[in-house]
Amino acid sequence: MSVSPSASVSPAAPSPAPTQADLLDFVRRTAADTELIASLPLDPEGRTWVRLDGPGGSEAWLIGWPPGSGTGWHDHAESVGAFLTAAGELKENSLAARLPSNGWKTLELEEGVDRERRLPTGKGRAFGQHHVHEVLNESSEEHAISVHAYYPPLPQIRRYSRTGPVLRLEQVERPEDWQ
């Protein structure tokens, strides 16, 4: 088939935004890349990270967790995401409650909203928008390594403090704070 010079060729349609399942598949495949996982520099004093190219314009990270480290309570705003432990074991504490996205500083959580998940090597999870959680490496001796992906790329991270049932918004970070 030939195309005449005056025929119009339509541009390719943009690829659809990656879903939570796409992001989970990506972190699973990336965590299986043993050479990549072994290349992450590990620091005994603090978390280390390397930015990766995620699928469909998503933001992805390879993160090293020294013993006893964690994120504190936070969410990823309007982004959906997935993460998977590539080495070691992580623990995720999360809230099974839909929180208001804006306009509050302090919330009293209802009973029964706490969830705990152990994520040994090869285990991960996907999550939706406004998912509030903390991720911890509770080992006293071993580093953990994980792969994370978010779409759309993180517009902000909201950090919280928690005392019993009371959750307080403490800080809002923007990409320039962590890149």
Side-chain angles (χ1 to χ4, degrees):
M1 174 177 137
S2 65
V3 176
S4 69
S6 62
S8 68
V9 176
S10 35
S15 57
T19 64
Q20 291 177 42
D22 295 332
L23 296 175
L24 187 57
D25 181 59
F26 169 80
V27 298
R28 210 175 259 128
R29 285 183 288 109
T30 303
D33 182 341
T34 55
E35 192 174 312
L36 175 66
I37 301 308
S39 74
L40 180 67
L42 300 176
D43 181 339
E45 301 300 318
R47 287 188 300 151
T48 54
W49 55 86
V50 172
R51 187 161 181 170
L52 306 171
D53 291 327
S58 64
E59 179 174 350
W61 298 89
L62 180 62
I63 300 176
W65 305 77
S69 64
T71 60
W73 288 95
H74 68 282
D75 73 15
H76 305 99
E78 290 78 33
S79 297
V80 298
F83 70 102
L84 186 130
T85 305
E89 179 176 276
L90 293 172
K91 175 183 166 187
E92 180 197 36
N93 294 318
S94 63
L95 301 178
R98 181 84 172 160
L99 303 181
S101 58
N102 287 308
W104 65 276
K105 289 279 189 186
T106 303
L107 280 177
E108 187 162 345
L109 302 170
E110 296 190 17
E111 283 189 42
V113 299
D114 289 296
R115 299 292 181 268
E116 179 182 304
R117 195 179 260 115
R118 296 268 171 199
L119 300 164
T121 299
K123 297 292 181 193
R125 72 177 313 260
F127 54 85
Q129 296 177 329
H130 309 290
H131 175 71
V132 178
H133 69 165
E134 68 175 346
V135 180
L136 309 159
N137 176 5
E138 293 187 319
S139 172
S140 60
E141 300 172 6
E142 292 184 39
H143 266 81
I145 298 175
S146 57
V147 181
H148 302 245
Y150 309 99
Y151 188 85
L154 296 172
Q156 64 185 11
I157 294 177
R158 291 182 288 234
R159 299 215 174 261
Y160 305 97
S161 64
R162 180 151 182 213
T163 306
V166 177
L167 188 70
R168 285 186 180 82
L169 176 63
E170 297 290 345
Q171 179 180 2
V172 177
E173 295 177 1
R174 307 240 181 262
E176 55 272 15
D177 297 325
W178 64 80
Q179 293 183 5

